[in-house]
Amino acid sequence: MTQSPPAEIDIANMTWPPPPYRSPVPPVTGADGVRRFDGITYATTPGYRPRLLDVQVPAGEGPFPVIVWIHGGGWLDGDRRYPPPTVPADLLHGTVLAAGLALVSVDYRHSLEAPFPAQLHDVKAAIRYVRAFAGDLGIDPDRIGVWGESAGGHLAALAGLVGPDSPQGAALEGTEGVGSGESGVRAVVDWYGVSDLVTLADHPMPAMPGADFPDPYEALLGATVAARPDLARAASPVTYAEGSNPPPFLLVHGTHDGLVPYSQSEALAAALKSAGGEVTLQPVDGADHIFLGSCDIPAIVEGGVAFLARHLGAGA
């Protein structure tokens, strides 16, 4: 791998305090021609760890359309670098890049660091950052899609549906990182994400490892759903479908998911269709959460990439 020399520091034009993000450093280019920007700080908030993202850009001439990948983990855990254990990173990343799409993988604040809407604020901040620095990154700011799994699928759905004109839109956009600018996306892939926290409250949580493992929904809201039904509705993607102009959605969900019931994706699909949106609901027969029990993981990944490539105009 080769790395470009560091840019000169322009001390004369420095300001204090510094902005709540850092500009991209020169990428590392691999033997395959893929340019990688690792560990970019896209948002900082006093008292919290910096939020980081990684960017991988295909070999060749850009600008490239881009997918923002949002990891799962019950809003309590997870890492931008690692998909679920059923989906090898090389498979996910390689399939995206081979399709002529750039990939941005983001971290966000976990729920015990900060309750909702901090997680959505961070995702919105990452999208604004990618747009603001699109020229440095070699990507097309007008062709951005989001793809998430589990908690990340929930956040991807919210990113696709929540805008400044949504109910409480300004409060949900946030001002983290690049504090203003467009945060909309052109397509969404949601793998087995939560869509309605109010109805999910009636679904018993499976036993989780460790006696001290917190209830993920209570941790997300900072209260029980019963105590904060207003916040539960505000954190539910179905809330924003009605009256919206949703981008195309692909929902993929195991029919035997014991953690997030398949009915959650059915509910979101119905709400999107009612709003006149383009939505595809793809059941994975017999699969549990994170597609456990499925033998079709490569095909599921390829389907998500093909959906995003089509709607983002990869190769155009």
Side-chain angles (χ1 to χ4, degrees):
M1 294 185 178
T2 59
Q3 184 166 6
S4 304
E8 292 185 4
I9 299 174
D10 187 359
I11 297 176
N13 291 317
M14 279 188 175
T15 60
W16 190 263
Y21 53 83
R22 291 186 178 274
S23 301
V25 297
V28 173
T29 303
D32 55 2
V34 173
R35 299 185 299 284
R36 293 176 172 84
F37 303 79
D38 292 329
I40 298 174
T41 300
Y42 73 84
T44 60
T45 307
Y48 296 96
R49 61 189 167 100
R51 269 82 79 207
L52 306 180
L53 59 79
D54 298 335
V55 184
Q56 300 180 65
V57 183
E61 294 296 324
F64 295 94
V66 61
I67 297 170
V68 176
W69 167 262
I70 310 170
H71 70 78
W75 309 283
L76 287 158
D77 198 1
D79 186 312
R80 70 186 187 280
R81 296 169 295 177
Y82 308 118
T86 48
V87 182
D90 287 347
L91 171 64
L92 179 67
H93 298 179
T95 307
V96 169
L97 294 165
L101 297 160
L103 180 65
V104 173
S105 305
V106 304
D107 281 335
Y108 53 88
R109 283 171 289 178
H110 294 154
S111 56
L112 294 185
E113 294 177 273
F116 184 84
Q119 298 71 32
L120 180 57
H121 286 172
D122 290 349
V123 169
K124 291 279 191 177
I127 295 168
R128 290 194 297 266
Y129 183 96
V130 166
R131 277 207 168 89
F133 290 98
D136 301 275
L137 300 171
I139 62 177
D140 187 338
D142 296 323
R143 294 189 289 168
I144 300 176
V146 286
W147 185 352
E149 61 95 15
S150 195
H154 161 261
L155 294 172
L158 285 174
L161 290 170
V162 172
D165 297 328
S166 301
Q168 305 179 55
L172 294 172
E173 287 286 322
T175 57
E176 302 290 326
V178 177
S180 62
E182 173 60 37
S183 66
V185 298
R186 285 181 49 171
V188 178
V189 175
D190 172 359
W191 280 357
Y192 45 86
V194 169
S195 68
D196 188 341
L197 273 78
V198 176
T199 61
L200 196 60
D202 296 328
H203 176 74
M205 278 289 296
M208 303 299 287
D212 296 329
F213 196 91
D215 180 288
Y217 310 116
E218 185 173 341
L220 178 68
L221 301 177
T224 63
V225 171
R228 290 297 309 272
D230 56 332
L231 187 57
R233 285 190 292 272
S236 298
V238 294
T239 299
Y240 307 99
E242 183 179 355
S244 69
N245 182 25
F249 268 71
L250 172 63
L251 309 175
V252 190
H253 208 134
T255 59
H256 288 184
D257 194 324
L259 187 60
V260 178
Y262 179 72
S263 59
Q264 287 283 302
S265 285
E266 289 181 310
L268 182 54
L272 291 167
K273 287 179 181 176
S274 180
E278 177 186 339
V279 56
T280 300
L281 174 58
Q282 178 184 333
V284 182
D285 290 335
D288 201 340
H289 204 62
I290 67 170
F291 304 134
L292 279 170
S294 173
C295 298
D296 296 327
I297 300 296
I300 293 169
V301 171
E302 289 167 5
V305 171
F307 174 86
L308 290 163
R310 182 169 70 254
H311 287 290
L312 299 179

